[in-house]
């Protein structure tokens, strides 16, 4: 193993990823002498690339689509959220071992609490729309709150039933449209509405609960059709940019054991 420490993002495609800017600019500002690299790898080259990275001095990776599950067999250990979700989006070499983490839920929660100046989500009636990798991580993060009721709406009901035990109700996206005004917090976690399909939304609705929060984890566009629908009806809205910045912020603090300024990172991608 050579001595140059390797940090980077692994996925495909990576053209629009904002992580390289967030990482490299923050390294410069904080005298972290590392270059954050892009490993854009085709599926047929994935195994070879992972075996190569394992033998090299890889210290930290951000894992993105389509490898968040595929990477599991190449790791030595998993943290509790990665175990619970079966999805890894961060890798850190600790005492020689490659450890997989899932920061999606923590990053989403920190971003939400900060944005709306909330201490916790106790007593909230919550609807999660979609139940993929990022969503599961958010779901496990939500379980820490008191008296919080979680309903889940997904295209495939069985997939949800097979992966979680603690929930109030599971129903279809159509059903969610009818019931949306019951919720204090609605979290949109499907890729529907992401650029270039910016006019699409997983649900369309005509009434919201007064004061309700609508959080979409998509950040491109910054206001999805789902968020526009909610804002038009008086809902409070938030997009996925804070989740992305929180994730990059948390990973730098873990990898380099260094405190870095969150607002500086936020300013790097203010759109
Ligand atoms: P994923 O694991 O592929 O999950 C996709 C979810 O969306 C599943 O529940 C799936 O339903 C549903 N879905 C997909 N296409 C659908 C369609 N045409 N109609 C109805 N439902 C559909 O994806 P993920 O990794 O969780 O990512 C989801 C989104 O979050 C992506 O847009 C991603 O870019 C974004 N994201 C943002 C951040 C951030 O930092 N802001 C972090 C992670 C992810 P089924 O279960 O029925 O298949």
């Amino acid at each position: 193993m050579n001595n140059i420490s390797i940090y980077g993002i692994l996925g495909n495609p990576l053209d629009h990823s904002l992580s390289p800017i967030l990482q490299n600019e923050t390294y410069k500002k904080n005298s972290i002498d590392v270059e954050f690299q892009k490993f854009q790898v085709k599926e047929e080259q994935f195994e070879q690339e992972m075996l190569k990275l394992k033998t090299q001095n890889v210290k930290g990776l951000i894992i993105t689509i389509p490898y968040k599950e595929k990477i599991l067999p190449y790791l030595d250990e998993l943290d509790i959220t990665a175990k619970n979700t079966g999805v890894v989006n961060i890798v850190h070499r600790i005492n020689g071992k490659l450890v997989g983490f899932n920061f999606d839920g923590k990053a989403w929660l920190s971003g939400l609490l900060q944005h709306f100046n909330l201490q916790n989500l106790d007593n909230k009636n919550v609807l999660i729309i979609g139940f993929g990798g990022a969503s599961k991580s958010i779901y496990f993060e939500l379980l820490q709150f008191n008296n919080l009721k979680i309903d889940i709406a997904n295209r495939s009901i069985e997939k949800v039933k097979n992966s979680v035990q603690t929930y109030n109700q599971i129903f279809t996206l159509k059903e969610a449209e009818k019931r949306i005004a019951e919720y204090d917090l609605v979290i949109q976690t499907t890729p529907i509405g992401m650029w270039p399909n910016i006019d699409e939304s997983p649900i369309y609705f005509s009434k919201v609960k007064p004061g309700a929060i609508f959080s979409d984890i998509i950040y491109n566009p910054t206001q999805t059709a789902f968020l526009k629908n909610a804002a038009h009806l008086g809902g409070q809205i938030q997009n996925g940019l804070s989740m992305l910045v929180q994730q990059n912020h948390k990973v730098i603090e873990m990898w380099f054991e260094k405190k870095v300024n969150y607002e500086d990172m936020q300013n790097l991608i203010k759109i």
Side-chain angles (χ1 to χ4, degrees):
M1 204 184 277
N2 75 33
N3 279 329
I4 301 168
S5 300
I6 296 172
Y7 293 86
I9 180 164
L10 176 70
N12 190 29
L14 294 178
D15 309 337
H16 298 289
S17 173
L18 293 171
S19 292
I21 294 174
L22 285 165
Q23 293 289 321
N24 281 321
E25 294 303 315
T26 307
Y27 296 175
K28 272 187 224 154
K29 188 148 193 166
N30 291 276
S31 309
I32 298 170
D33 189 15
V34 165
E35 192 204 342
F36 185 83
Q37 303 180 44
K38 278 191 195 179
F39 300 101
Q40 181 164 315
V41 175
K42 292 192 183 126
E43 300 240 10
E44 58 271 25
Q45 293 161 350
F46 178 71
E47 175 162 27
Q48 197 188 349
E49 186 67 26
M50 266 323 293
L51 295 174
K52 191 174 97 194
L53 283 170
K54 269 198 96 157
T55 57
Q56 294 175 334
N57 196 14
V58 64
K59 287 281 180 61
L61 291 172
I62 294 179
I63 311 297
T64 184
I65 286 169
Y67 301 126
K68 292 183 183 184
E69 293 170 11
K70 235 183 160 185
I71 193 156
L72 265 75
Y74 301 90
L75 303 175
D76 303 305
E77 282 173 17
L78 298 177
D79 87 324
I80 180 75
T81 315
K83 255 186 219 155
N84 279 337
T85 55
V87 178
V88 163
N89 64 353
I90 305 292
V91 174
H92 187 197
R93 194 186 286 275
I94 304 172
N95 299 327
K97 290 186 173 164
L98 284 185
V99 185
F101 295 81
N102 188 313
F103 280 9
D104 275 334
K106 283 186 183 56
W108 170 81
L109 180 63
S110 305
L112 186 94
L113 295 180
Q114 192 202 37
H115 188 85
F116 293 106
N117 201 14
L118 296 167
Q119 298 305 312
N120 59 58
L121 297 177
D122 291 349
N123 306 313
K124 297 248 184 272
N125 199 9
V126 180
L127 174 66
I128 304 178
I129 299 170
F131 209 64
S135 188
K136 280 183 209 156
S137 186
I138 291 171
Y139 161 86
F140 282 107
E141 208 54 36
L142 287 173
L143 293 183
Q144 66 184 282
F145 295 110
N146 297 315
N147 195 28
L148 175 134
K149 211 170 97 204
I150 306 177
D151 288 353
I152 302 167
N154 197 37
R155 176 176 59 181
S156 328
I157 305 282
E158 284 312 307
K159 261 198 210 166
V160 187
K161 286 191 175 153
N162 293 338
S163 40
V164 288
Q165 278 101 39
T166 314
Y167 54 82
N168 184 44
Q169 293 184 78
I170 301 173
F171 42 74
T172 60
L173 297 173
K174 267 277 157 261
E175 184 70 19
E177 292 188 331
K178 288 187 229 148
R179 303 181 51 166
I180 196 96
E182 294 172 21
Y183 299 96
D184 306 301
L185 170 61
V186 183
I187 312 159
Q188 194 309 100
T189 70
T190 76
I192 303 171
M194 211 162 89
W195 189 88
N197 305 313
I198 59 168
D199 294 326
E200 294 176 7
S201 175
I203 61 167
Y204 297 89
F205 44 98
S206 53
K207 198 172 169 215
V208 301
K209 186 170 180 177
I213 291 175
F214 290 77
S215 172
D216 195 325
I217 67 171
I218 291 174
Y219 54 82
N220 184 14
T222 50
Q223 214 178 97
T224 56
F226 167 81
L227 288 184
K228 281 184 184 156
N229 190 163
H232 179 72
L233 298 169
Q236 307 185 72
I237 61 168
Q238 186 206 20
N239 66 31
L241 274 175
S242 59
M243 177 175 172
L244 177 81
V245 180
Q246 287 284 354
Q247 184 117 247
N248 276 275
H249 182 255
K250 286 182 192 310
V251 85
I252 291 178
E253 295 204 339
M254 177 173 78
W255 285 343
F256 303 106
E257 293 178 5
K258 199 169 183 154
K259 290 268 166 237
V260 297
N261 187 287
Y262 176 75
E263 280 72 33
D264 286 347
M265 291 186 72
Q266 226 175 3
N267 288 333
L268 288 169
I269 57 161
K270 277 243 159 85
I271 300 172

